[in-house]
C-alpha cells in the first residue's frame, strides 16, 4: 500500500506541460523531460511535444504580425510560440543550433501545426537560405501594410520607446527628409522596399510557399483575410466572424475565443505623428515604383497610396 501511494505521489509530481497559446497568463513551458528525437521533437507522456515550426510569420516589422499570430491562434489546430524567437537572424541564437530553437517552441499535440513569428526575418538577407536549409517545404506568412503607413508606424514605435526611457528623439521630419530629399539612410524606409527583400526570398522559395496577408485589410475587416490564411495552410475552416468584434474605445478589432474576449496590447494601434502633406507626398512618390515592382513579383496589387 505504501509503495502504491509513493507511486501516485511521484506521478503527480511529473505534471506534464500543455500546449501553449499567446496572450495568456500561463508562464513559460516546463523544461523538456526528454531529449530531441531524430525527427526534431521533444515529446511528453501526455502526448504533447515540441516540434520545429511548420509555419513561420516572417514579417514585416510594424505590418501586423502580432495581430496575425493572435488571430491564427484562434484555430485549434495551431500552437503559437509566445515570443519572437530571432533564431535565423541573430547570430548569437543561430550558433546555439536547432536543439535551442526547438526548445523555444510551444508544446503542442501531434495534430497541431506550430508557428513562430519574427518580423525581422523578412528584411534579413541571410534568413531565407537558413530557413530553406531547415525545411524547404515550410509555409511562410508575410503580412504587409501600405509602405508609407508602415514607415510612420515604425517611427511611432521608436518614438514611444525612447519617450518611456527618457531618451532624446528626433522629430519625424528630420529622419524622413535630409537636404530637402527623402533620407535614404533611414532604416525604416529600407524595410518598406518590399520588392528588394521579396527578391531574396524568391531565390529560395517558390511564390506558392509564401502567402502575403494584406495588413491594411486585416485591420479594416479581419475575417476575410483570415479565411485566406486558413485556405493557404489547408486548415479545416474554423475561424468565423463571431471571433471578431470592433472595440470602439481602442478603435480596432479585438478577439472573442470561447466566450473570452481579448485585445492587443495598448502599444498597438497608436496614433501616428502629424506629417506635413508635402513630406507625405514625397514618400508616396518615393514608393511608387518600388510598389509596382513588388506587385509584378507577387502577381497581385494592393490598395496602397
Amino acid at each position: 500500500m505504501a509503495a502504491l501511494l509513493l507511486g501516485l505521489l511521484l506521478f503527480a509530481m511529473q505534471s506534464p506541460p500543455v500546449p501553449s497559446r499567446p496572450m495568456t497568463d500561463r508562464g513559460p513551458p516546463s523544461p523538456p523531460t526528454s531529449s530531441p528525437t531524430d525527427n526534431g521533437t521533444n515529446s511528453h507522456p501526455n502526448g504533447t511535444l515540441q516540434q520545429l515550426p511548420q509555419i513561420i510569420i516572417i514579417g514585416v516589422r510594424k505590418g501586423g504580425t502580432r495581430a496575425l499570430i493572435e488571430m491564427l491562434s484562434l484555430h485549434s489546430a495551431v500552437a503559437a510560440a509566445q515570443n519572437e524567437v530571432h533564431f535565423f537572424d541573430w547570430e548569437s541564437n543561430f550558433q546555439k543550433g536547432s536543439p535551442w530553437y526547438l526548445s523555444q517552441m510551444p508544446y503542442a499535440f501531434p495534430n497541431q501545426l506550430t508557428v513562430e513569428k519574427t518580423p525581422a526575418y523578412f528584411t534579413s538577407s541571410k534568413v531565407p537560405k537558413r530557413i530553406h536549409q531547415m525545411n524547404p517545404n515550410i509555409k511562410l506568412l508575410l503580412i504587409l501594410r501600405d509602405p508609407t503607413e508602415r514607415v510612420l508606424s515604425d517611427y511611432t514605435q521608436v518614438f514611444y520607446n525612447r519617450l518611456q526611457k527618457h531618451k532624446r528623439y528626433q522629430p519625424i521630419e528630420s529622419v524622413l527628409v535630409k537636404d530637402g530629399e527623402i533620407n535614404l539612410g533611414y532604416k525604416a524606409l529600407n524595410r518598406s522596399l518590399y520588392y528588394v527583400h521579396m527578391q531574396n526570398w524568391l531565390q529560395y522559395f517558390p511564390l506558392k510557399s509564401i502567402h502575403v496577408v494584406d495588413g491594411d485589410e486585416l485591420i479594416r475587416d479581419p475575417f476575410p483575410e483570415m479565411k485566406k490564411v486558413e485556405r493557404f495552410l489547408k486548415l479545416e475552416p474554423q475561424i468565423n466572424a463571431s471571433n471578431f468584434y470592433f472595440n470602439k474605445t481602442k478603435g480596432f478589432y479585438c478577439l472573442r475565443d470561447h466566450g473570452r474576449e481579448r485585445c492587443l496590447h495598448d502599444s498597438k494601434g497608436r496614433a501616428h505623428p502629424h506629417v506635413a502633406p508635402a513630406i507625405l507626398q514625397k514618400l508616396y512618390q518615393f514608393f511608387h515604383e518600388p510598389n509596382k515592382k513588388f506587385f509584378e513579383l507577387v502577381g497581385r496589387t494592393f490598395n496602397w497610396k
Side-chain angles (χ1 to χ4, degrees), residues 263-284:
C263 292
L264 297 181
H265 191 268
D266 289 341
S267 63
K268 307 299 180 181
R270 285 171 171 159
H272 295 164
H274 173 75
V275 181
I279 295 178
L280 281 178
Q281 195 57 40
K282 282 181 180 290
L283 282 175
Y284 297 147

mmCIF file of all heavy atoms in Angstrom, residues 263-284:
data_model
loop_
_atom_site.group_PDB
_atom_site.id
_atom_site.type_symbol
_atom_site.label_atom_id
_atom_site.label_comp_id
_atom_site.label_asym_id
_atom_site.label_seq_id
_atom_site.Cartn_x
_atom_site.Cartn_y
_atom_site.Cartn_z
ATOM 1 N N CYS A 263 -7.888 41.767 -26.350
ATOM 2 C CA CYS A 263 -7.420 42.750 -27.322
ATOM 3 C C CYS A 263 -5.895 42.772 -27.335
ATOM 4 O O CYS A 263 -5.243 42.294 -26.404
ATOM 5 C CB CYS A 263 -7.930 44.151 -26.974
ATOM 6 S SG CYS A 263 -9.712 44.341 -27.151
ATOM 7 N N LEU A 264 -5.348 43.347 -28.372
ATOM 8 C CA LEU A 264 -3.912 43.521 -28.428
ATOM 9 C C LEU A 264 -3.478 44.536 -27.375
ATOM 10 O O LEU A 264 -4.283 45.309 -26.861
ATOM 11 C CB LEU A 264 -3.477 43.989 -29.815
ATOM 12 C CG LEU A 264 -3.745 43.017 -30.976
ATOM 13 C CD1 LEU A 264 -3.243 43.609 -32.284
ATOM 14 C CD2 LEU A 264 -3.081 41.662 -30.723
ATOM 15 N N HIS A 265 -2.193 44.549 -27.092
ATOM 16 C CA HIS A 265 -1.635 45.447 -26.094
ATOM 17 C C HIS A 265 -1.880 46.904 -26.479
ATOM 18 O O HIS A 265 -2.048 47.235 -27.663
ATOM 19 C CB HIS A 265 -0.126 45.189 -25.966
ATOM 20 C CG HIS A 265 0.513 45.869 -24.808
ATOM 21 N ND1 HIS A 265 1.080 47.128 -24.916
ATOM 22 C CD2 HIS A 265 0.679 45.482 -23.512
ATOM 23 C CE1 HIS A 265 1.573 47.481 -23.746
ATOM 24 N NE2 HIS A 265 1.344 46.490 -22.870
ATOM 25 N N ASP A 266 -1.907 47.761 -25.479
ATOM 26 C CA ASP A 266 -2.157 49.185 -25.731
ATOM 27 C C ASP A 266 -1.118 49.831 -26.637
ATOM 28 O O ASP A 266 -1.353 50.895 -27.210
ATOM 29 C CB ASP A 266 -2.210 49.953 -24.399
ATOM 30 C CG ASP A 266 -3.466 49.631 -23.600
ATOM 31 O OD1 ASP A 266 -4.430 49.124 -24.211
ATOM 32 O OD2 ASP A 266 -3.483 49.888 -22.385
ATOM 33 N N SER A 267 0.063 49.204 -26.753
ATOM 34 C CA SER A 267 1.099 49.758 -27.622
ATOM 35 C C SER A 267 0.745 49.586 -29.102
ATOM 36 O O SER A 267 1.371 50.193 -29.971
ATOM 37 C CB SER A 267 2.447 49.075 -27.345
ATOM 38 O OG SER A 267 2.380 47.691 -27.655
ATOM 39 N N LYS A 268 -0.269 48.758 -29.375
ATOM 40 C CA LYS A 268 -0.703 48.543 -30.755
ATOM 41 C C LYS A 268 -1.766 49.578 -31.123
ATOM 42 O O LYS A 268 -2.601 49.953 -30.315
ATOM 43 C CB LYS A 268 -1.258 47.128 -30.937
ATOM 44 C CG LYS A 268 -0.309 46.025 -30.476
ATOM 45 C CD LYS A 268 0.989 46.027 -31.244
ATOM 46 C CE LYS A 268 1.927 44.922 -30.757
ATOM 47 N NZ LYS A 268 3.213 44.923 -31.480
ATOM 48 N N GLY A 269 -1.715 50.005 -32.376
ATOM 49 C CA GLY A 269 -2.729 50.938 -32.865
ATOM 50 C C GLY A 269 -2.544 52.364 -32.411
ATOM 51 O O GLY A 269 -3.499 53.142 -32.403
ATOM 52 N N ARG A 270 -1.329 52.740 -32.017
ATOM 53 C CA ARG A 270 -1.089 54.114 -31.591
ATOM 54 C C ARG A 270 -1.236 55.075 -32.767
ATOM 55 O O ARG A 270 -0.927 54.743 -33.915
ATOM 56 C CB ARG A 270 0.326 54.251 -31.033
ATOM 57 C CG ARG A 270 0.519 53.659 -29.644
ATOM 58 C CD ARG A 270 1.991 53.648 -29.298
ATOM 59 N NE ARG A 270 2.229 53.282 -27.915
ATOM 60 C CZ ARG A 270 3.381 52.808 -27.469
ATOM 61 N NH1 ARG A 270 4.402 52.670 -28.291
ATOM 62 N NH2 ARG A 270 3.528 52.512 -26.200
ATOM 63 N N ALA A 271 -1.696 56.289 -32.454
ATOM 64 C CA ALA A 271 -1.843 57.318 -33.486
ATOM 65 C C ALA A 271 -0.466 57.745 -33.971
ATOM 66 O O ALA A 271 0.481 57.889 -33.195
ATOM 67 C CB ALA A 271 -2.590 58.519 -32.919
ATOM 68 N N HIS A 272 -0.352 57.935 -35.273
ATOM 69 C CA HIS A 272 0.910 58.383 -35.856
ATOM 70 C C HIS A 272 1.078 59.886 -35.655
ATOM 71 O O HIS A 272 0.098 60.627 -35.553
ATOM 72 C CB HIS A 272 0.946 58.066 -37.354
ATOM 73 C CG HIS A 272 0.948 56.607 -37.651
ATOM 74 N ND1 HIS A 272 0.667 56.082 -38.894
ATOM 75 C CD2 HIS A 272 1.189 55.531 -36.846
ATOM 76 C CE1 HIS A 272 0.751 54.770 -38.859
ATOM 77 N NE2 HIS A 272 1.058 54.411 -37.629
ATOM 78 N N PRO A 273 2.304 60.358 -35.632
ATOM 79 C CA PRO A 273 2.521 61.801 -35.518
ATOM 80 C C PRO A 273 2.072 62.524 -36.793
ATOM 81 O O PRO A 273 2.009 61.917 -37.869
ATOM 82 C CB PRO A 273 4.039 61.918 -35.341
ATOM 83 C CG PRO A 273 4.582 60.684 -35.980
ATOM 84 C CD PRO A 273 3.574 59.610 -35.700
ATOM 85 N N HIS A 274 1.751 63.783 -36.655
ATOM 86 C CA HIS A 274 1.362 64.567 -37.833
ATOM 87 C C HIS A 274 2.580 64.770 -38.738
ATOM 88 O O HIS A 274 3.672 65.071 -38.272
ATOM 89 C CB HIS A 274 0.809 65.922 -37.407
ATOM 90 C CG HIS A 274 0.556 66.845 -38.563
ATOM 91 N ND1 HIS A 274 -0.518 66.686 -39.415
ATOM 92 C CD2 HIS A 274 1.269 67.924 -39.020
ATOM 93 C CE1 HIS A 274 -0.479 67.627 -40.345
ATOM 94 N NE2 HIS A 274 0.598 68.389 -40.130
ATOM 95 N N VAL A 275 2.357 64.568 -40.027
ATOM 96 C CA VAL A 275 3.416 64.766 -41.010
ATOM 97 C C VAL A 275 2.902 65.757 -42.052
ATOM 98 O O VAL A 275 1.770 65.631 -42.537
ATOM 99 C CB VAL A 275 3.816 63.444 -41.701
ATOM 100 C CG1 VAL A 275 4.939 63.680 -42.705
ATOM 101 C CG2 VAL A 275 4.237 62.408 -40.662
ATOM 102 N N ALA A 276 3.717 66.721 -42.392
ATOM 103 C CA ALA A 276 3.324 67.734 -43.376
ATOM 104 C C ALA A 276 2.923 67.073 -44.692
ATOM 105 O O ALA A 276 3.592 66.136 -45.136
ATOM 106 C CB ALA A 276 4.474 68.712 -43.608
ATOM 107 N N PRO A 277 1.831 67.524 -45.307
ATOM 108 C CA PRO A 277 1.370 66.931 -46.572
ATOM 109 C C PRO A 277 2.458 66.865 -47.637
ATOM 110 O O PRO A 277 2.517 65.903 -48.413
ATOM 111 C CB PRO A 277 0.228 67.863 -46.989
ATOM 112 C CG PRO A 277 -0.281 68.442 -45.700
ATOM 113 C CD PRO A 277 0.912 68.583 -44.827
ATOM 114 N N ALA A 278 3.327 67.855 -47.698
ATOM 115 C CA ALA A 278 4.389 67.864 -48.717
ATOM 116 C C ALA A 278 5.354 66.699 -48.515
ATOM 117 O O ALA A 278 5.825 66.084 -49.485
ATOM 118 C CB ALA A 278 5.145 69.196 -48.662
ATOM 119 N N ILE A 279 5.639 66.381 -47.241
ATOM 120 C CA ILE A 279 6.540 65.261 -46.953
ATOM 121 C C ILE A 279 5.855 63.931 -47.260
ATOM 122 O O ILE A 279 6.477 63.004 -47.805
ATOM 123 C CB ILE A 279 7.008 65.311 -45.491
ATOM 124 C CG1 ILE A 279 7.857 66.568 -45.260
ATOM 125 C CG2 ILE A 279 7.795 64.056 -45.124
ATOM 126 C CD1 ILE A 279 8.339 66.734 -43.835
ATOM 127 N N LEU A 280 4.577 63.834 -46.924
ATOM 128 C CA LEU A 280 3.831 62.616 -47.252
ATOM 129 C C LEU A 280 3.834 62.382 -48.760
ATOM 130 O O LEU A 280 3.994 61.247 -49.228
ATOM 131 C CB LEU A 280 2.388 62.721 -46.744
ATOM 132 C CG LEU A 280 2.154 62.458 -45.260
ATOM 133 C CD1 LEU A 280 0.688 62.645 -44.916
ATOM 134 C CD2 LEU A 280 2.602 61.050 -44.880
ATOM 135 N N GLN A 281 3.657 63.447 -49.521
ATOM 136 C CA GLN A 281 3.656 63.330 -50.973
ATOM 137 C C GLN A 281 5.006 62.836 -51.485
ATOM 138 O O GLN A 281 5.075 62.019 -52.408
ATOM 139 C CB GLN A 281 3.323 64.683 -51.617
ATOM 140 C CG GLN A 281 2.952 64.593 -53.094
ATOM 141 C CD GLN A 281 1.766 63.666 -53.334
ATOM 142 O OE1 GLN A 281 0.792 63.650 -52.573
ATOM 143 N NE2 GLN A 281 1.839 62.876 -54.400
ATOM 144 N N LYS A 282 6.086 63.281 -50.856
ATOM 145 C CA LYS A 282 7.411 62.793 -51.232
ATOM 146 C C LYS A 282 7.530 61.290 -50.975
ATOM 147 O O LYS A 282 8.113 60.548 -51.775
ATOM 148 C CB LYS A 282 8.493 63.534 -50.432
ATOM 149 C CG LYS A 282 8.819 64.944 -50.922
ATOM 150 C CD LYS A 282 9.911 65.562 -50.068
ATOM 151 C CE LYS A 282 10.256 66.973 -50.533
ATOM 152 N NZ LYS A 282 10.949 66.975 -51.840
ATOM 153 N N LEU A 283 6.968 60.846 -49.840
ATOM 154 C CA LEU A 283 7.004 59.421 -49.518
ATOM 155 C C LEU A 283 6.202 58.607 -50.529
ATOM 156 O O LEU A 283 6.654 57.551 -50.997
ATOM 157 C CB LEU A 283 6.468 59.186 -48.109
ATOM 158 C CG LEU A 283 7.401 59.497 -46.944
ATOM 159 C CD1 LEU A 283 6.671 59.333 -45.621
ATOM 160 C CD2 LEU A 283 8.642 58.604 -46.968
ATOM 161 N N TYR A 284 5.004 59.080 -50.862
ATOM 162 C CA TYR A 284 4.180 58.370 -51.844
ATOM 163 C C TYR A 284 4.917 58.239 -53.179
ATOM 164 O O TYR A 284 4.915 57.172 -53.812
ATOM 165 C CB TYR A 284 2.850 59.092 -52.056
ATOM 166 C CG TYR A 284 1.960 59.162 -50.829
ATOM 167 C CD1 TYR A 284 1.137 60.263 -50.607
ATOM 168 C CD2 TYR A 284 1.952 58.139 -49.886
ATOM 169 C CE1 TYR A 284 0.323 60.341 -49.481
ATOM 170 C CE2 TYR A 284 1.141 58.204 -48.766
ATOM 171 C CZ TYR A 284 0.336 59.312 -48.559
ATOM 172 O OH TYR A 284 -0.464 59.388 -47.448
#
